[in-house]
Each structure stands twice: as structure tokens, then as C-alpha cells.
Amino acid sequence: MVESKFSKVDFSKYFQPPSLRAARRRRRESVHIINNFSIPDDMKAIGRGKKYLVETYGCQMNEHDTEVMGGILEEMGYQETEDVYDADVILINTCAIRENAENKVFGEIGHLKPLKREKPGLILGVCGCMAQEETVVNKILQKYPQVDLIFGTHNIHRLPQLLKEALFSKEMVVEVWSKEGDIVENLPQSRRGHFQAWVNIMYGCDKFCTYCIVPYTRGKERSRRPEEIIEEVRDLARRGYKEITLLGQNVNAYGKDLQDLEDYGLGNLMDEIRKIGIPRVRFTTSHPKDFDDHLIEVLGKGGNLCEHIHLPVQSGNSEILKIMGRGYTRERYLSLFNKIKKAVPNASFTTDIIVGFPNETEEQFEDTLSLVRECRFDGAYTFIYSPRAGTPAARMTDNVPMEVKKERLLRLNKLIDELASASNARYQDQVVEVLVEGESRKNSEVLSGHTRTNKVVNFRGPKSLIGELVHVKITDAKMWSLDGEWQREPEAAGR
Ligand code: 5AD
Ligand code: SF4
């Protein structure tokens, strides 16, 4: 019965609805780092002979959280499966950034209902950013009784205890801490890649852009200690990893909360990581406001620091940027962009852009087009503004009809496509270094990988090259990928 599952849940225990004022106060509280994660004895073998599957939506942070949940489940004896019919535990790791991301998740929970009926012992869990939203949890409790377990982004380390409760309780288990917990350092990780790895450097975001739900779902900015990060990167290097991506919602704020380390920022961290013998180092996501000169200087040293900068601009109009709460103007963005370009001449640049922010005028939108033209981005993730309950922008009246927003998105995407083609055309006949990631999705005879500048390259070669850095001569530059020929004995490769 639906009622029996949700009638006993005391919401006030779990949630404070998003409140800008309350969230801003949180910065003063300090964060503790703990190393005491362990699986309770009675849960250590509970998954033996059983399988799990985690479905992941959203950003790299979620993909990495999935690796941590996989690591915890594997320590409990579970094995991974890709087949929902085979799984004894299915976790849906959700994204709350836009409404359509949420709709996809509700669709998926709906699809899994018949399976739960066929297999009553199956544990179906919902976690990730949507689990941090009170409206979402209410909806699941009322409309999706097939869900056994809901847990938030700050409760991942509690997975063994929560799974135990879900296995032995007849009620839906809900544990969502509205306040972030400590940084737990010794969580297991089941890394999906054997030569590429994510490395969290910080959690949360304190930027509070007025449209964004992330500061509420991911909590305040908490940096990991540099020595922990460096040790993790050294370990990956020893194990033969070829590429790491340093992760955080706002990596440029790295270190600001480490009170005992004065002026230690992302530039300092990258300068240390630069000296570790791992061929490629990437980082995401950057915020222009905190991108400082020291980081630019360090990026200019090259070496293993890849020449690809993802620098979300969101809008090319200073008034809109102000209402978005981004903390920079169009002019400041352009000046930063040019400074980085000068320091890292071969760099490729990508960005994120929101169109149709409340009351955006045609002229303001055209400022975005002109900024994109000026920067000649290599690529961009473009979105129609999606109101998120509880954020300041969601309370603004909006006079821009959806048809106008859609039309602006099409115009913007057309320009982005043209620039992507032009940028790729510059690679024609060049020899590039490619990290071979696997078979191409479209054709298993073809191998695929990325350049240091993050361009996709497809070429023919033996499967033994997977996981290796090779050289490829570009023979055909397309809009979103480059075709090329593997160079057995390469000329010196540029990008
Ligand atoms: N609506 C549309 N796009 C959004 N983004 C974040 N919040 C919203 C929203 N409410 C976009 C921003 C951000 C990217 C990860 O998602 O462009 O950089
Ligand atoms: Fe959201 Fe802004 Fe933080 Fe990025 S910097 S996660 S857009 S609040």
C-alpha cells in the first residue's frame, strides 16, 4: 500500500526548503575530514551472489559519485551488471539542473514499476541531486511506491546502513541531510575507466547564481586537502592511468576554505600535479570570477596540463550577467578569455550558455551571439533557461514566450555549429596526439579518442591501441569530429 510507506515519514527531519539566507550563513561552519568509513560486519557479505546497477544522469560529479557507490556495493559483495533484469539493487543517480533532466528520471522510475512487481526482492533506490529537493521526495512518496530507498548527495557514505534498512524494512527508507556532512576521505571507488579517472578536488558551490539549484543540492564549498589529492593522483600515475580530470562544481574556488593554508588555490595545486608523471591533466568546471592570474601562469607551463579550457559564460550581456549573479561583466569575461588565450596559445575553449533568461531582450540575446563570435568557441553546451523552485530567478516574472526562447536557441546553435566546423578545419593535415578510449560508437572497426584539446578523433588501427597515446594525421575534419590515419612512426605532434 502506498500510504503505509509514506505516512510515517517526518519531513521536517530531512529538509529545509532552499533558502538563500540560510544557505549563505552556512559558510561559517567548519568542515571536518574523516577517515573512518567502514562496512558494518553484518553487511560485508550481504551482496554475495547478487548484482547491482547504477543509472547515472547529469554531470561528471554524478558519474564519479556512481563510481563511489559502485565501490561501496562491491565491498559488500555485489557485482555490477548492465542488465536491469539481472539486478538485485538498482540505484538511479539523478540530476536536478533542469526540468527535462528531472522528467527523464520520473519516466525511468515509472518504467521500472513492472519489474519491481515481477521481482519484489529488488531494491530500487533514488539518489543524487533530485533527492535533495523536498518537492521531488514528496512526489516519489506519493506517486512512486515502487521506490524503496531515497538518499541525498551528503548521505552516500551511509549506503550500507541505508541498504540494510531498505532490505529489512517494509517502509520506504528516506535519508536526506539538508546540511552537508564532513568530507569522507577513505570511500572505496570502483573506477569505470582503466586509463582515465575523475579526481574530486572539492565539493559544493557557494556562487549562488540566481538560476541554479546546485548550491542547495550539493551544499557549501568544501575543498579536499592538497596532500590527499596529490596522493590520489600519484597512486593513479603508479597504476598506469593516462589522464585525470580534476572535478568540482567551481574548481577555481579551490582552497578558499582551507583556513590553515594561506593563499593556496587551484594554481598551486595544479603546479604540484604538473610534476606528477601522468600524461594528461584536465579540470572542470571553471567559474570566470575566480580564475586567477596564478592559475593562468601555471597553465602556460603546459607539460601534462591539457590545452582545453571550459569557461562557462552563460550570457554575453552585462545586465543579464548581473541579474544572474555571475559576478563579472561581458568586458571582464573577454579580458580573461584573451589573457588565457595569450598564455596558452593552442588552447581550445568551450562554454555553457543559457538563453531565454527571464525578460532577456532581443538586443541582450544578440550580445550573446556577438560574444560567441568574438571568442570563436570550439563548442558550447546551450540551454533554455529552466526555472528551479526555490532559486531567486524562479520568482522573477518572465515576459519571454517559449517560442522566442526556442528560436533563440536554434540561432545560437547554428552559430556554434559554424564555429565548431571552422575550428576543426584548422586540424586538417595536422598530426595530433590521441588517447585511444575504445571503439567508435557508430562503427566497431574504428577506434576513437580525444586530443589534448578535447577534439574527438576517429581512425582505424589495432584494438591493442586502446588505452595508449598515439599519433594520428587528420584527413577529414567534420563539424564535431576529426577522421584520421594512425601514424606508426609519428612526426612531432602538435595538439
Ligand atoms: N536552466 C538552464 N540551464 C541551467 N544551467 C544551470 N542551471 C540552469 C537552469 N536553471 C546550466 C548552466 C551551467 C550548466 C551546467 O547548466 O549553463 O553552466
Ligand atoms: Fe550553479 Fe553558478 Fe555554482 Fe555553477 S557556479 S554550480 S552555475 S551556482
Side-chain angles (χ1 to χ4, degrees):
M1 281 290 289
V2 183
E3 285 76 9
S4 71
K5 286 200 163 187
F6 72 84
S7 56
K8 291 187 187 155
V9 175
D10 169 13
F11 288 115
S12 61
K13 204 166 87 193
Y14 303 113
F15 297 104
Q16 291 150 10
S19 148
L20 199 56
R21 217 188 273 158
R24 282 195 187 279
R25 270 202 304 272
R26 72 192 185 192
R27 277 185 236 179
R28 290 191 213 120
E29 291 156 28
S30 65
V31 169
H32 301 281
I33 294 170
I34 52 177
N35 268 302
N36 63 357
F37 173 81
S38 67
I39 311 265
D41 284 344
D42 57 347
M43 293 301 285
K44 276 190 179 140
I46 202 138
R48 217 170 269 161
K50 293 187 180 161
K51 305 235 168 92
Y52 78 92
L53 184 153
V54 189
E55 288 182 20
T56 313
Y57 294 82
C59 65
Q60 292 100 329
M61 197 67 81
N62 263 15
E63 288 188 30
H64 188 48
D65 283 349
T66 290
E67 294 183 334
V68 172
M69 292 188 275
I72 296 174
L73 290 165
E74 284 169 26
E75 283 208 356
M76 293 162 76
Y78 288 95
Q79 279 183 329
E80 195 186 8
T81 174
E82 288 180 2
D83 180 358
V84 282
Y85 296 99
D86 214 17
D88 301 282
V89 174
I90 299 177
L91 300 180
I92 307 183
N93 190 4
T94 62
C95 169
I97 200 107
R98 282 171 292 276
E99 194 186 351
N100 57 4
E102 295 204 352
N103 291 342
K104 269 194 229 159
V105 166
F106 283 119
E108 181 58 13
I109 304 173
H111 285 144
L112 291 170
K113 190 172 185 176
L115 187 65
K116 177 78 191 175
R117 218 178 284 135
E118 275 170 42
K119 216 172 152 181
L122 168 71
I123 296 291
L124 178 56
V126 176
C127 55
C129 286
M130 280 171 71
Q132 293 291 144
E133 294 181 280
E134 184 173 0
T135 45
V136 168
V137 176
N138 271 322
K139 187 167 164 180
I140 296 175
L141 287 162
Q142 288 167 24
K143 296 201 179 141
Y144 299 90
Q146 64 268 40
V147 173
D148 302 286
L149 169 63
I150 305 176
F151 61 100
T153 55
H154 311 308
N155 308 72
I156 291 177
H157 62 289
R158 299 248 316 134
L159 183 53
Q161 290 82 355
L162 296 173
L163 197 56
K164 181 177 172 182
E165 266 189 68
L167 282 167
F168 298 112
S169 149
K170 289 197 169 56
E171 293 183 2
M172 196 184 293
V173 174
V174 182
E175 186 176 285
V176 182
W177 293 340
S178 61
K179 185 192 162 305
E180 56 287 319
D182 303 312
I183 294 183
V184 188
E185 268 302 342
N186 64 333
L187 292 174
Q189 315 183 22
S190 169
R191 295 196 186 270
R192 294 295 177 265
H194 298 293
F195 40 88
Q196 290 171 298
W198 310 112
V199 176
N200 264 132
I201 63 167
M202 62 182 299
Y203 304 92
C205 179
D206 283 341
K207 277 284 172 279
F208 292 101
C209 301
T210 54
Y211 51 81
C212 187
I213 194 77
V214 168
Y216 310 95
T217 61
R218 289 275 172 181
K220 72 172 172 180
E221 287 171 356
R222 288 103 70 208
S223 301
R224 288 180 68 199
R225 303 286 311 176
E227 54 276 17
E228 298 276 3
I229 299 168
I230 289 162
E231 189 41 50
E232 183 173 343
V233 176
R234 285 213 179 103
D235 179 56
L236 290 165
R238 277 193 293 269
R239 288 157 57 198
Y241 277 80
K242 300 277 176 12
E243 180 179 294
I244 57 155
T245 303
L246 307 177
L247 280 185
Q249 238 83 42
N250 171 19
V251 286
N252 304 82
Y254 175 76
K256 285 187 197 290
D257 57 315
L258 298 172
Q259 278 144 9
D260 60 322
L261 295 178
E262 218 171 299
D263 285 338
Y264 191 95
L266 184 62
N268 303 73
L269 181 70
M270 301 262 302
D271 209 16
E272 294 194 56
I273 291 177
R274 195 173 63 79
K275 296 169 195 148
I276 301 176
I278 202 148
R280 288 180 172 196
V281 179
R282 302 184 185 279
F283 63 107
T284 200
T285 278
S286 284
H287 191 297
K289 184 161 184 265
D290 296 327
F291 211 113
D292 59 31
D293 287 351
H294 184 217
L295 176 62
I296 298 176
E297 182 199 320
V298 171
L299 290 174
K301 296 181 185 176
N304 59 2
L305 307 182
C306 287
E307 298 81 10
H308 170 229
I309 316 286
H310 184 65
L311 193 63
V313 66
Q314 313 300 357
S315 165
N317 176 272
S318 297
E319 288 156 38
I320 293 284
L321 287 169
K322 187 157 189 222
I323 308 170
M324 285 178 163
R326 292 289 289 175
Y328 55 85
T329 58
R330 171 193 176 96
E331 290 69 31
R332 265 200 56 200
Y333 181 92
L334 286 171
S335 123
L336 172 68
F337 180 92
N338 289 321
K339 214 194 264 182
I340 305 172
K341 212 175 157 96
K342 203 164 150 213
V344 195
N346 283 333
S348 67
F349 284 85
T350 52
T351 195
D352 291 348
I353 297 170
I354 297 177
V355 302
F357 190 72
N359 310 314
E360 181 191 57
T361 65
E362 172 62 22
E363 289 71 33
Q364 289 171 330
F365 170 66
E366 282 173 16
D367 281 347
T368 297
L369 293 180
S370 79
L371 180 134
V372 167
R373 250 182 241 117
E374 198 167 331
C375 294
R376 302 190 64 81
F377 289 111
D378 293 80
Y381 296 99
T382 57
F383 312 100
I384 290 182
Y385 165 69
S386 170
R388 305 284 66 212
T391 60
R395 289 191 285 275
M396 296 175 193
T397 51
D398 184 3
N399 64 11
V400 190
M402 187 45 90
E403 291 69 54
V404 172
K405 297 186 191 221
K406 285 187 180 160
E407 186 262 347
R408 284 183 190 161
L409 184 70
L410 287 178
R411 274 157 71 200
L412 174 61
N413 285 346
K414 188 163 169 279
L415 174 60
I416 301 283
D417 287 353
E418 281 165 25
L419 293 173
S421 295
S423 144
N424 276 358
R426 293 198 293 275
Y427 285 74
Q428 184 70 39
D429 300 326
Q430 300 247 1
V431 176
V432 292
E433 182 201 88
V434 177
L435 174 58
V436 190
E437 287 151 36
E439 294 167 2
S440 126
R441 249 179 280 156
K442 288 190 199 144
N443 181 352
S444 62
E445 302 285 292
V446 172
L447 297 175
S448 187
H450 284 85
T451 63
R452 287 172 62 94
T453 52
N454 215 31
K455 303 278 180 185
V456 176
V457 178
N458 295 310
F459 64 99
R460 285 175 192 271
K463 302 271 190 275
S464 58
L465 296 183
I466 294 174
E468 299 296 324
L469 287 158
V470 301
H471 291 99
V472 176
K473 183 166 186 176
I474 302 306
T475 52
D476 188 11
K478 300 174 173 169
M479 188 189 296
W480 291 113
S481 64
L482 304 164
D483 286 352
E485 282 165 7
W486 173 43
Q487 308 287 285
R488 270 169 208 273
E489 284 158 31
E491 312 153 27
R495 315 190 237 206

